[in-house]
């Protein structure tokens, strides 16, 4: 391994303190450290935008690495390559000389290679009597070994960000489709509501989407689009409930006229059994699962849960459920109580319930007992998250203090 001594650039290239620090840092590589040069190169390719590199820069780095004979970079090896510009041009697929020099400078600025210039600026190696290289002048690639872990983490973050961005765009596309078709259905079926205003809001959200959106832009628009979808669903559900109430009243009137407490027992046993089975099936159909509210709405009502997410930010339901597990442990809720809530409400709604309990934790003596009670009420159809989230939204907006309620 090089001894970490500082060498200044040849010719008109200036010396900088950053360049000196990079040269000195090569002497701080851990003993016996190794890394696969092509694995490091793939990580650099993934993270090229963060490093400020272009495709041509990667082609030049690929050519430089091809001059190092081993695939493994080792701390105890001489990590200097010394090809001429002519050789580099050939291996970089015929890149022009000026372009080659420019992208070599980019690699130096990115801290991936260090120049070790000779007295006359030529690149060569001086060998001893046994043929072993004693000293070499060219490009020091030891920063790749030094930063191998950092580059790997950087590449993983880029991949994770890309996946998150793709999922956010998919969610926005689905949400756009939902809003558009729900508005069309409501207008077609003459549902009461201020649909021109809602349609205008939807058009305004679409106009905010740029040709090449960033992650922050997609997240902001998605949040507003989910709120709009939630508003539409609430309007449609309210109309559905009104329709159900009128139907149930009419059905109740007919039932009162025809009811006879003794007539059921007077029926034939086989027919009575069929009626009982039919009644049980009707009851089962009436038991519907709790609806899942938009994630953006949940986070506006329960902002504290974001602090317990793996990265301090909740961008999807998996993040929320992970944060809920941390909160469960912090509030002393047993795994069995949380499991019961998941089975009764569903994992998403159980996580939302934990977020609501966290918001009101100062007013709840036993979070575990409280969660079990809510799970029991949810099982009997006596608990809904809608009023809870609306109450918390009003509380966070400054409308006073309120405890969790059941609907």
């Amino acid at each position: 391994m090089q001894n970490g001594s500082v060498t200044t650039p040849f010719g008109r290239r200036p010396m900088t303190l950053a360049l000196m620090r990079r040269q000195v840092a090569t002497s701080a590589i851990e003993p016996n450290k190794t890394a696969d040069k092509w694995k490091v190169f793939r990580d650099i390719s993934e993270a090229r935008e963060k490093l400020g590199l272009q495709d041509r820069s990667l082609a030049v780095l690929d050519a430089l690495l091809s001059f190092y004979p081993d695939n493994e970079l080792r701390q105890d090896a001489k990590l200097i390559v010394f090809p001429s510009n002519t050789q580099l041009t050939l291996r970089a697929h015929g890149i022009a000389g000026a372009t080659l020099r420019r992208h070599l400078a980019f690699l130096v600025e990115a801290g991936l290679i260090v120049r070790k210039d000779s007295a006359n600026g030529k690149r060569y190696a001086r060998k001893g009597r046994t043929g072993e290289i004693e000293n070499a002048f060219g490009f020091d690639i030891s920063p790749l070994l030094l930063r191998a872990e950092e580059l790997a983490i950087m590449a993983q973050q880029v991949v994770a960000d890309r996946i998150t961005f793709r999922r956010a765009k998919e969610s926005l596309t689905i949400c756009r489709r939902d809003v558009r078709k729900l508005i069309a259905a409501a207008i077609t079926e003459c549902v009461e509501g201020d649909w021109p205003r809602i349609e205008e809001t939807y058009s305004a959200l679409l106009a905010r989407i740029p040709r090449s959106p960033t992650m922050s832009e997609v997240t902001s628009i998605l949040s507003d689009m989910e709120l709009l979808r939630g508003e539409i669903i609430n309007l449609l559900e309210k109309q559905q409930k009104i329709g159900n109430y009128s139907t149930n009243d009419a059905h109740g009137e007919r039932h009162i006229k025809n009811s006879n407490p003794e007539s059921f027992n007077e029926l034939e046993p086989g027919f009575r059994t069929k009626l009982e089975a039919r009644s049980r099936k009707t009851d089962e159909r009436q038991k519907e699962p709790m609806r899942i509210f938009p994630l953006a709405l949940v986070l506006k009502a329960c902002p504290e849960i974001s602090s317990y997410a793996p990265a301090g930010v909740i961008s999807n339901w998996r993040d929320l459920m992970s944060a809920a597990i941390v909160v469960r442990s912090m509030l002393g809720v047993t795994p069995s109580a949380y499991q019961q809530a998941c089975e009764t409400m569903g994992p998403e709604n159980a996580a939302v319930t934990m977020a609501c309990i966290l918001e009101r934790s100062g007013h709840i003596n036993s979070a575990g007992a409280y969660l079990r009670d809510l799970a029991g009420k949810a099982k009997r159809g006596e608990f809904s998250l809608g009023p809870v989230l609306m109450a918390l939204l009003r509380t966070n907006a400054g409308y006073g203090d309120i405890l969790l309620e059941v609907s």
Side-chain angles (χ1 to χ4, degrees):
M1 186 65 194
Q2 298 88 321
N3 59 11
S5 60
V6 176
T7 59
T8 56
F10 173 79
R12 297 180 179 179
R13 290 190 297 270
M15 182 63 180
T16 64
L17 295 180
L19 180 60
M20 185 191 74
R21 284 194 296 268
R22 291 169 193 158
Q23 293 185 22
V24 173
T26 59
S27 62
I29 300 177
E30 299 174 0
N32 302 321
K33 182 177 181 179
T34 61
D36 185 291
K37 68 179 183 181
W38 299 121
K39 169 64 170 60
V40 177
F41 178 75
R42 288 193 296 272
D43 291 338
I44 294 171
S45 299
E46 271 312 342
R48 65 181 180 275
E49 292 185 3
K50 284 183 173 291
L51 294 167
L53 299 178
Q54 303 173 9
D55 292 342
R56 288 290 185 91
S57 303
L58 295 178
V60 173
L61 180 60
D62 179 53
L64 280 174
L65 290 177
S66 69
F67 285 99
Y68 185 73
D70 300 328
N71 285 337
E72 186 179 65
L73 304 176
R74 302 191 316 276
Q75 179 266 345
D76 57 351
K78 293 187 179 298
L79 300 178
I80 293 182
V81 292
F82 39 89
S84 65
N85 282 353
T86 302
Q87 292 173 317
L88 269 177
T89 298
L90 291 174
R91 294 203 187 183
H93 311 292
I95 191 172
T99 306
L100 174 67
R101 290 189 293 272
R102 185 169 66 254
H103 287 284
L104 284 171
F106 289 160
L107 293 172
V108 173
E109 290 174 7
L112 300 178
I113 62 174
V114 174
R115 295 180 186 271
K116 188 177 180 182
D117 291 341
S118 64
N120 58 5
K122 301 294 183 181
R123 303 174 198 142
Y124 61 90
R126 183 178 295 114
K127 298 182 180 180
R129 294 181 179 179
T130 60
E132 182 181 358
I133 296 178
E134 293 181 344
N135 202 358
F137 299 95
F139 297 104
D140 187 351
I141 59 174
S142 58
L144 301 181
L145 178 59
L146 176 68
R147 302 179 61 188
E149 294 84 358
E150 174 196 349
L151 295 169
I153 294 173
M154 193 181 298
Q156 292 169 8
Q157 185 61 51
V158 168
V159 172
D161 291 344
R162 186 185 304 130
I163 293 173
T164 302
F165 187 38
R166 184 176 67 246
R167 289 177 178 173
K169 290 196 294 184
E170 289 174 353
S171 298
L172 179 57
T173 300
I174 294 172
C175 195
R176 286 174 55 187
R177 181 188 67 198
D178 293 346
V179 171
R180 184 179 65 248
K181 293 193 174 183
L182 286 171
I183 292 174
I187 295 175
T188 301
E189 299 184 21
C190 300
V191 177
E192 292 185 5
D194 190 1
W195 299 111
R197 177 192 63 80
I198 293 176
E199 193 164 9
E200 183 180 348
T201 303
Y202 172 67
S203 299
L205 287 175
L206 291 184
R208 285 172 50 191
I209 303 176
R211 183 180 297 273
S212 299
T214 62
M215 180 62 188
S216 60
E217 290 172 334
V218 171
T219 303
S220 175
I221 298 170
L222 175 59
S223 176
D224 293 340
M225 191 73 74
E226 286 178 336
L227 287 175
L228 180 61
R229 180 174 61 182
E231 179 184 353
I232 296 171
I233 291 173
N234 286 336
L235 284 172
L236 296 178
E237 285 185 344
K238 185 183 296 184
Q239 294 297 322
Q240 182 67 27
K241 288 179 181 178
I242 293 173
N244 289 340
Y245 288 153
S246 6
T247 303
N248 290 339
D249 289 342
H251 176 74
E253 291 174 2
R254 291 193 300 271
H255 179 70
I256 291 171
K257 291 177 182 178
N258 298 330
S259 63
N260 185 348
E262 297 178 357
S263 62
F264 185 82
N265 294 326
E266 293 173 357
L267 295 173
E268 290 293 329
F271 187 58
R272 186 166 65 245
T273 303
K274 291 180 181 179
L275 284 179
E276 290 173 347
R278 186 181 301 173
S279 178
R280 284 196 300 270
K281 289 181 180 179
T282 302
D283 291 341
E284 290 174 359
R285 284 196 300 269
Q286 289 175 348
K287 293 180 180 178
E288 298 180 355
M290 295 176 65
R291 62 166 290 209
I292 299 176
F293 289 84
L295 181 61
L297 175 67
V298 173
L299 296 179
K300 284 184 179 293
C302 309
E304 291 188 18
I305 191 71
S306 299
S307 302
Y308 299 89
V313 176
I314 293 176
S315 55
N316 51 53
W317 281 104
R318 178 172 295 180
D319 291 345
L320 178 64
M321 289 187 281
S322 298
I325 292 174
V326 176
V327 171
R328 173 200 68 75
S329 177
M330 183 192 71
L331 295 180
V333 178
T334 62
S336 60
Y338 189 68
Q339 180 65 26
Q340 178 187 355
C342 289
E343 292 172 356
T344 304
M345 307 176 181
E348 293 88 354
N349 283 325
V352 174
T353 304
M354 285 304 308
C356 294
I357 292 176
L358 175 64
E359 292 290 326
R360 310 303 306 142
S361 58
H363 301 269
I364 299 173
N365 293 329
S366 174
Y370 197 63
L371 181 63
R372 285 187 186 274
D373 182 58
L374 293 180
K377 290 177 179 178
K379 189 173 184 179
R380 298 190 299 271
E382 300 173 357
F383 173 65
S384 172
L385 278 169
V388 176
L389 292 173
M390 294 304 104
L392 287 173
L393 279 173
R394 291 194 298 271
T395 301
N396 290 332
Y399 287 98
D401 199 16
I402 192 164
L403 291 173
L404 295 181
E405 299 174 350
V406 296
S407 63

